[in-house]
Amino acid sequence: MGSFVGIFITVAALLGGFAAMGGHLAVLMQPWEFVIIMGTAVGTFIVANPWKTVVDTGVACMQAITGAVPGERYYLDLLGALHALMRELRGKGRNEVEAHIDDPASSEIFKAFPSVLGDPPLLQFICDYVRLIIMGNARTHEIEALMDEEIHTIVKAKLAPYNSIVVVSEALPALGIVAAVLGVIKAMGALDQSPKLLGGFIGAALVGTFAGIFLSYGVLSPFAIKIKMTREKRCRPYIIVKQTLLAFMNGAMPQIAVEHGRKMIASSERPSIDVVENETIAGPKAVVAEAEPKAARA
């Protein structure tokens, strides 16, 4: 909603100011200038990026528009799942813990935290590093370096739509000039026409320059920043997992390790320590209580 409000204010101020100065809004209605600029921009965007990035850009746009970022419930589920796994690591054998990470969809721990179970890339990230912890022969600094490299790779891939849109936004002013040049060429072919008609052709050509600059700095660049902020927030859970598991590997109790992860959450979305304690302490007990009767029945 915020994106639409911002665009509405921008367009209203632009057109309203132009009309208040005595400008005629009909002059700006040059659809073929916009077709040239936007069509060329879309075509070059598709040429410059693999199809996977093109599709992901559409997904990123929808996420930015709808504000699809992790909230407090998501973070509570994530911290709860990590706490439950760390309790299992401290109190149970390797085979019992491996059952959770080998088949997360059947794990009673992950079933209790649907937000984590519904995020396959993050779920795989958690399971991979819990498996390394179970092996027991990896040093903490080695795991940390590996996590940093993987997170860097994940963030780079997630920000590919942002980078591709920034490139297009930087090219739009030049594409606007291209459209304006085509308009001038058209005007040059009508030099024998009346000054009124010739002036209309020149005005239409200048609309191309205006459109390219406005779409670049007034629409696409701000929206690219919105996409970047959204994707960075969606990458934050990986940092939380990293800090939590590293603290656990360094000897912290599960509840203390969870606190390391909680501190990685932005203050606006960060649940209080009391809420996290209630969720993580009560949550794993409920999961274990539910899992044991099922195991007994099996």
Side-chain angles (χ1 to χ4, degrees):
M1 181 61 69
S3 300
F4 291 112
V5 171
I7 291 175
F8 174 79
I9 293 173
T10 302
V11 174
L14 180 74
L15 299 181
F18 180 69
M21 291 189 300
H24 299 287
L25 295 179
V27 176
L28 300 178
M29 300 299 106
Q30 304 294 336
W32 293 114
E33 293 286 331
F34 287 92
V35 167
I36 292 172
I37 296 169
M38 296 306 297
T40 306
V42 171
T44 54
F45 171 78
I46 293 175
V47 169
N49 296 283
W51 187 247
K52 183 178 180 180
T53 301
V54 174
V55 174
D56 192 35
T57 300
V59 174
C61 289
M62 291 304 300
Q63 290 172 347
I65 291 171
T66 59
V69 296
E72 183 174 320
R73 180 68 262 165
Y74 182 97
Y75 289 127
L76 286 172
D77 277 3
L78 176 58
L79 294 175
L82 292 173
H83 185 270
L85 282 172
M86 289 184 293
R87 282 171 59 93
E88 294 286 295
L89 285 168
R90 288 182 65 90
K92 296 193 176 178
R94 173 174 175 172
N95 291 337
E96 293 177 274
V97 180
E98 279 186 336
H100 294 293
I101 61 176
D102 288 340
D103 188 11
S106 302
S107 167
E108 296 301 329
I109 289 179
F110 289 114
K111 285 181 180 179
F113 304 102
S115 297
V116 178
L117 190 59
D119 190 346
L122 181 66
L123 184 63
Q124 187 63 52
F125 184 84
I126 294 171
C127 291
D128 286 346
Y129 286 101
V130 171
R131 185 175 287 106
L132 288 177
I133 293 174
I134 292 174
M135 291 178 182
N137 56 358
R139 299 177 182 177
T140 305
H141 70 274
E142 294 173 341
I143 297 294
E144 182 176 9
L146 184 60
M147 283 182 168
D148 286 338
E149 288 298 321
E150 184 170 358
I151 291 172
H152 174 75
T153 302
I154 292 170
V155 172
K156 185 177 179 180
K158 292 291 186 182
L159 293 183
Y162 158 75
N163 293 321
S164 61
I165 290 178
V166 166
V167 171
V168 173
S169 72
E170 291 174 348
L172 273 174
L175 295 178
I177 294 173
V178 170
V181 170
L182 292 176
V184 171
I185 292 173
K186 177 182 176 182
M188 291 297 100
L191 287 177
D192 58 339
Q193 303 296 318
S194 65
K196 182 179 180 180
L197 183 61
L198 186 60
F201 288 156
I202 295 175
L206 293 177
V207 168
T209 303
F210 150 75
I213 295 173
F214 170 68
L215 291 173
S216 173
Y217 298 109
V219 178
L220 218 55
S221 290
F223 193 68
I225 294 174
K226 181 89 171 180
I227 288 175
K228 181 181 180 183
M229 293 172 62
T230 301
R231 282 298 175 90
E232 285 178 342
K233 287 182 178 180
R234 292 179 68 87
C235 290
R236 177 56 51 179
Y238 294 92
I239 307 295
I240 296 170
V241 172
K242 169 194 166 185
Q243 293 301 122
T244 302
L245 293 182
L246 288 178
F248 178 73
M249 291 184 70
N250 283 323
M253 297 290 289
Q255 196 62 40
I256 302 300
V258 164
E259 181 62 13
H260 282 249
R262 189 184 75 90
K263 289 297 185 181
M264 296 297 103
I265 304 172
S267 58
S268 57
E269 293 98 19
R270 184 191 304 156
S272 69
I273 187 171
D274 293 333
V275 172
V276 173
E277 283 184 356
N278 291 335
E279 288 277 336
T280 55
I281 291 175
K285 290 181 179 179
V287 171
V288 173
E290 181 182 354
E292 286 178 349
K294 290 183 178 180
R297 289 196 299 269

